[in-house]
């Protein structure tokens, strides 16, 4: 086993940890353990859903790319996305901030203000947190949620299911590409798919949010479900900004770019009519982009295994493709 995380990679290290944790004595309170978008535990009458995620300066964002308020909104949104991907709704949040001492108090106020505004919009409340000094800005959130009924994991996809995605891909990736090339502007806001996720929980076999890239995240569904997936590139919905910037290369770029925070889900043929009836209430478009099949866990694009760059997605330690 490589000694450095740089050589092992984020996903390989997490896979090893998840394997070790699975060997622990089973805890009857745990309904969904490590390895999904969020954990689910038994608590009271409804399943309790828990997730945590961090935004780190110069890893996930550069300070010039977001106003403090937008950074706070984004910190909530990336966590709410994982709760939405389970078909649940956020309830309470904890916010831990690390900041350099030279950071302005008014900017910190605005950051927390953006966070609480985004939380309020989804019916969630900030109930505590921590403030620490550090070499750069880092925002870590713990978000709890509640599911009305059953939760949707990555593990339920079955051969024959149709693969759908909400919204469109490539918006953040296109903005990051422009900013890294010296362009001006800010990162676009992230979509809020909490309502869509809750409604989709009634028809979806499996669901995940697209944070690392379509190919990689659909790959997570395939591995968890023990199935293969076929995607038609022409069917992948591409954001207008990505289409304008990349033209004929837009769909391939969008399929590999991460940070779109759309919901990717699979639906059995017998529930597609119910999905069509739900569609007008989701608050966003949905597009069928492929089909689940039998066989070893692999994602094919137009019948072929995609390039290594597309498959790799983002890995925090291998730096194949840096986020900022
Ligand atoms: Mg996720």
């Amino acid at each position: 086993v490589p000694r450095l995380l740089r050589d092992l990679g984020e996903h390989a290290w997490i896979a090893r940890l998840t394997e070790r944790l699975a060997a622990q004595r089973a805890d009857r309170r745990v309904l969904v353990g490590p390895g999904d978008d969020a954990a689910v535990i038994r608590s009271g009458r409804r399943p309790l859903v828990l997730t945590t995620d961090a935004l780190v300066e110069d890893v996930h964002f550069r300070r010039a790319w977001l106003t403090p308020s937008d950074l706070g909104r984004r910190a909530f949104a990336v966590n709410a996305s994982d709760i939405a991907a389970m078909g649940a709704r956020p309830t309470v949040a904890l916010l831990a901030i690390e900041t350099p001492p030279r950071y302005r108090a008014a900017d910190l106020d605005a950051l927390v203000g953006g966070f609480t505004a985004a939380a309020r919009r989804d019916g969630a409340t900030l109930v505590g947190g921590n403030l620490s000094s550090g070499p750069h800005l880092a925002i870590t959130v713990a978000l709890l949620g509640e599911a009305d009924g059953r939760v949707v994991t990555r593990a339920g996809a079955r051969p024959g299911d149709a693969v759908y995605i909400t919204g469109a891909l490539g918006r953040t990736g296109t903005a990051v590409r422009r900013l890294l090339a010296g362009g001006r502007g800010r990162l676009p806001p992230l979509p809020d798919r909490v309502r869509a996720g809750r409604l989709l929980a009634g028809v979806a076999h499996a669901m995940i949010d697209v944070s690392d890239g379509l190919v990689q995240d659909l790959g997570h569904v395939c591995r968890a479900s023990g199935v293969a997936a076929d995607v038609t590139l022409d069917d992948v919905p591409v954001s207008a900004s990505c289409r304008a910037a990349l033209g004929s290369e837009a769909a391939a770029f969008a399929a590999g770019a991460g940070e779109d925070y759309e919901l990717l889900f699979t639906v059995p043929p017998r529930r597609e009519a119910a999905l069509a009836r739900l569609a007008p209430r989701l608050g966003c478009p949905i597009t069928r982009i492929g089909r689940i099949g039998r066989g070893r866990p692999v994602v094919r694009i137009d019948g072929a295994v995609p390039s290594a760059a597309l498959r790799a997605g983002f890995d925090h330690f291998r730096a194949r493709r840096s986020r900022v």
Side-chain angles (χ1 to χ4, degrees):
V1 173
R3 287 170 56 200
L4 300 180
L5 285 167
R6 189 178 65 193
D7 303 323
L8 184 61
E10 171 195 355
H11 294 288
W13 186 86
I14 291 174
R16 282 200 321 167
L17 173 67
T18 306
E19 217 167 275
R20 278 203 301 273
L21 291 175
Q24 290 177 142
R25 188 172 60 89
D27 184 330
R28 291 185 49 211
R29 291 166 298 190
V30 179
L31 300 174
V32 178
D36 219 292
D37 287 287
V40 183
I41 64 166
R42 212 188 296 275
S43 165
R45 285 176 34 211
R46 296 200 172 120
L48 186 64
V49 182
L50 304 94
T51 189
T52 184
D53 209 349
L55 290 183
V56 179
E57 184 176 10
D58 294 335
V59 176
H60 299 98
F61 66 94
R62 288 189 187 165
R63 222 179 280 186
W65 293 0
L66 291 156
T67 65
S69 171
D70 286 345
L71 182 57
R73 284 175 191 280
R74 195 175 188 86
F76 182 82
V78 298
N79 283 273
S81 178
D82 276 327
I83 298 288
M86 306 301 287
R89 63 192 156 80
T91 52
V92 297
L94 299 168
L95 176 60
I97 300 172
E98 178 187 310
T99 169
R102 293 174 59 92
Y103 199 60
R104 291 174 33 175
D107 286 346
L108 191 56
D109 289 344
L111 192 160
V112 176
F115 183 90
T116 52
R120 209 161 37 239
R121 196 180 147 200
D122 280 340
T125 309
L126 178 61
V127 293
N130 185 57
L131 182 61
S132 159
S133 69
H136 50 206
L137 201 53
I139 301 131
T140 304
V141 176
L143 187 60
L144 275 66
E146 226 173 47
D148 294 326
R150 62 182 274 275
V151 295
V152 187
T153 69
R154 303 172 175 187
R158 297 288 170 265
D161 284 3
V163 179
Y164 282 86
I165 192 153
T166 60
L169 300 180
R171 199 166 170 221
T172 299
T174 302
V176 168
R177 191 173 169 275
R178 187 187 66 236
L179 290 164
L180 285 178
R184 296 175 64 83
R186 306 230 187 242
L187 289 182
L190 296 179
D192 183 340
R193 301 295 180 233
V194 168
R195 177 185 168 81
R198 287 177 71 190
L199 290 169
L200 291 170
V203 295
H205 264 170
M207 190 150 59
I208 189 171
D209 66 323
V210 181
S211 54
D212 292 334
L214 169 65
V215 174
Q216 181 160 326
D217 288 319
L218 184 52
H220 291 319
V221 170
C222 288
R223 272 188 296 283
S225 300
V227 296
D230 279 286
V231 169
T232 304
L233 194 58
D234 273 348
D235 292 342
V236 173
V238 177
S239 74
S241 63
C242 182
R243 184 75 70 195
L246 285 134
S248 61
E249 304 295 312
F253 177 83
E259 304 217 47
D260 287 304
Y261 295 94
E262 295 292 353
L263 297 178
L264 179 69
F265 57 100
T266 82
V267 177
R270 68 173 190 285
R271 294 207 191 125
E272 283 194 89
L275 175 63
R277 285 194 297 276
L278 271 184
R281 292 158 56 203
L282 296 176
C284 59
I286 53 170
T287 309
R288 184 163 61 199
I289 60 169
R291 185 71 64 186
I292 298 294
R294 291 179 200 287
R296 64 186 185 85
V298 66
V299 177
R300 287 177 295 260
I301 303 276
D302 294 339
V305 174
S307 67
L310 259 184
R311 275 199 321 274
F314 182 78
D315 187 299
H316 267 273
F317 300 111
R318 305 201 81 164
R320 283 195 193 105
R321 170 156 80 73
S322 108
R323 210 159 245 189
V324 301

